[in-house]
Amino acid sequence: MNIQKTLLIFLLWGVSFYSIAQSQQAIQQVVEQAYQEFKDVQEGKNADYIKELAKVDPSIFGIVMVDIDGNIYSAGDNFSQVSIQSVSKAFVLSLVLNESGPEVIKNKVGANATGFPFNSIIAMEINRESGINSMVNAGAIATTSLVNGATADDKWNAIVKKLSEFAGRPLEVDEPVYISEAGDNQRNVAQAQLLKAYDKIYFDADQSVDIYTRQCALSVHARDLAIMAATLASGGKNPITNSRVVSTEAVSYTLPVMATAGLYENSGKWLYQTGLPGKSGVGGALIAVVPGKFGIAVVSPPLDEAGNSVKGQLAINYIVEKLNLNPYLVESGN
Ligand code: GLU
């Protein structure tokens, strides 16, 4: 190779390195702007039907984005922990898809939107034949019951192991949250019994609810959640640990269910605004996945009427718009 060619290669390398650094700086700036823009929003209220959640500091506000190369962009409280709650449903779904394949979920749980709140019994009745989905409580309890393992301990260990692999660190249960919800869980117990009556639960009903309640009480912070979402964005490979967590196929069936029902009865509105699969939890966590690009997570406990983090929705909407992340926004090129 002559000297001119070598110099040209160095120059091009330098230019592309510079433009990557520039665009990373731009992403960090947008995340900081989103934080500044919404940090003083006072709307919403912590969930209180699980008593322990009412005690969580409502001022926690953290935004983290992780790209599929493992770069992290953040603002606010990266490391304040909340219980994962319903966000766990997306990851347990991907675990079951990874173990058993898409037909099992399609035939035994379903993948249709209910249009009803997350714990609706009417939705179970109406969708008795067609099935519901793994993002609402009844479908999530059925999904948890499908995790491989002969005993409740086996199933639980598989869930903690897999969700920890998604996060890239060992996750632990927030015991006070678990105890609080387990003591007040009549509605979920009733839903599991109804599933049993309909032959739609695949392990002991009470034990399935107990495992589900524990999975919802796992403690996570915004950075964990963004890494978990980025693992979905990268087709199942954790971009920080570089280990494969679930198959690409499992992710390809998880994201549509999130898009269909990840934000409860407001899932359509969310998809209309962002174009992205998302999942919220009543602990105040909200994640969104930009396939092939980013995982985005916000933690902020005050919720709207449907149970979705108010600041979470505002911040992610802002980021999606500023960085043009809506996958339906296609430039025609002419
Ligand atoms: N553990 C909660 C429940 O079953 C999760 C609800 C949620 O985050 O949507 O009620």
Side-chain angles (χ1 to χ4, degrees):
M1 199 176 347
N2 64 30
I3 184 92
Q4 279 100 330
K5 263 195 182 157
T6 316
L7 278 174
L8 185 65
I9 287 169
F10 266 112
L11 186 71
L12 288 174
W13 182 79
V15 168
S16 76
F17 189 76
Y18 178 76
S19 72
I20 289 171
Q22 285 289 94
S23 68
Q24 287 179 349
Q25 210 181 14
I27 297 167
Q28 175 60 31
Q29 262 173 19
V30 169
V31 171
E32 279 166 22
Q33 282 162 8
Y35 180 80
Q36 290 304 330
E37 186 83 18
F38 303 115
K39 69 178 179 7
D40 298 321
V41 168
Q42 296 296 327
E43 281 137 52
K45 194 169 149 296
N46 282 26
D48 56 8
Y49 76 97
I50 299 171
K51 293 185 187 72
E52 212 48 40
L53 298 186
K55 299 184 194 161
V56 177
D57 178 0
S59 71
I60 294 171
F61 182 33
I63 311 175
V64 182
M65 267 179 95
V66 175
D67 68 25
I68 60 161
D69 297 319
N71 298 298
I72 299 177
Y73 313 88
S74 68
D77 301 317
N78 280 226
F79 297 110
S80 295
Q81 305 214 26
V82 293
S83 52
I84 189 168
Q85 297 299 338
S86 271
V87 180
S88 67
K89 291 169 177 166
F91 298 97
V92 175
L93 168 63
S94 77
L95 160 59
V96 173
L97 286 165
N98 192 54
E99 289 177 342
S100 305
E103 290 302 303
V104 168
I105 287 294
K106 191 173 90 185
N107 298 331
K108 297 193 162 186
V109 182
N112 276 333
T114 68
F116 284 94
F118 66 96
N119 56 3
S120 167
I121 290 174
I122 295 175
M124 294 179 74
E125 291 295 314
I126 291 176
N127 296 288
R128 193 169 155 181
E129 293 310 320
S130 57
I132 42 177
N133 68 71
S134 303
M135 300 297 115
V136 294
N137 287 12
I141 295 166
T143 304
T144 292
S145 80
L146 284 166
V147 171
N148 282 348
T151 66
D153 276 350
D154 292 345
K155 287 177 190 286
W156 168 241
N157 290 333
I159 290 172
V160 186
K161 181 166 178 284
K162 193 52 76 184
L163 267 62
S164 299
E165 286 173 23
F166 268 110
R169 74 172 183 104
L171 298 180
E172 287 174 14
V173 167
D174 180 328
E175 287 296 330
V177 169
Y178 165 67
I179 292 166
S180 165
E181 185 167 2
D184 241 345
N185 219 2
Q186 294 80 5
R187 202 174 172 100
N188 286 338
V189 170
Q191 295 209 328
Q193 291 301 333
L194 205 51
L195 287 171
K196 189 173 165 191
Y198 296 163
D199 264 340
K200 291 250 166 84
I201 194 152
Y202 309 99
F203 188 61
D204 177 81
D206 290 337
Q207 290 188 69
S208 299
V209 174
D210 184 58
I211 304 167
Y212 163 80
T213 309
R214 277 177 200 277
Q215 93 189 29
C216 288
L218 285 168
S219 250
V220 286
H221 46 59
R223 189 170 288 206
D224 290 329
L225 290 161
I227 296 170
M228 296 173 89
T231 303
L232 293 177
S234 75
K237 194 164 146 258
N238 182 316
I240 304 291
T241 64
N242 277 321
S243 57
R244 175 149 296 280
V245 180
V246 290
S247 67
T248 304
E249 184 192 56
V251 174
S252 76
Y253 286 97
T254 301
L255 296 179
V257 184
M258 290 169 68
T260 302
L263 275 84
Y264 316 120
E265 64 270 37
N266 282 347
S267 300
K269 192 171 139 203
W270 167 262
L271 193 61
Y272 186 73
Q273 282 167 340
T274 64
L276 297 178
K279 186 71 203 91
S280 60
V282 291
L286 177 62
I287 62 167
V289 178
V290 190
K293 293 188 177 147
F294 296 100
I296 314 175
V298 176
V299 169
S300 169
L303 311 176
D304 66 11
E305 291 291 311
N308 300 312
S309 167
V310 172
K311 283 186 196 154
Q313 293 173 84
L314 291 168
I316 295 180
N317 267 305
Y318 181 94
I319 292 170
V320 169
E321 206 184 302
K322 293 281 173 199
L323 296 174
N324 282 333
L325 298 179
N326 185 331
Y328 297 111
L329 201 62
V330 179
E331 300 277 350
S332 75
N334 51 42

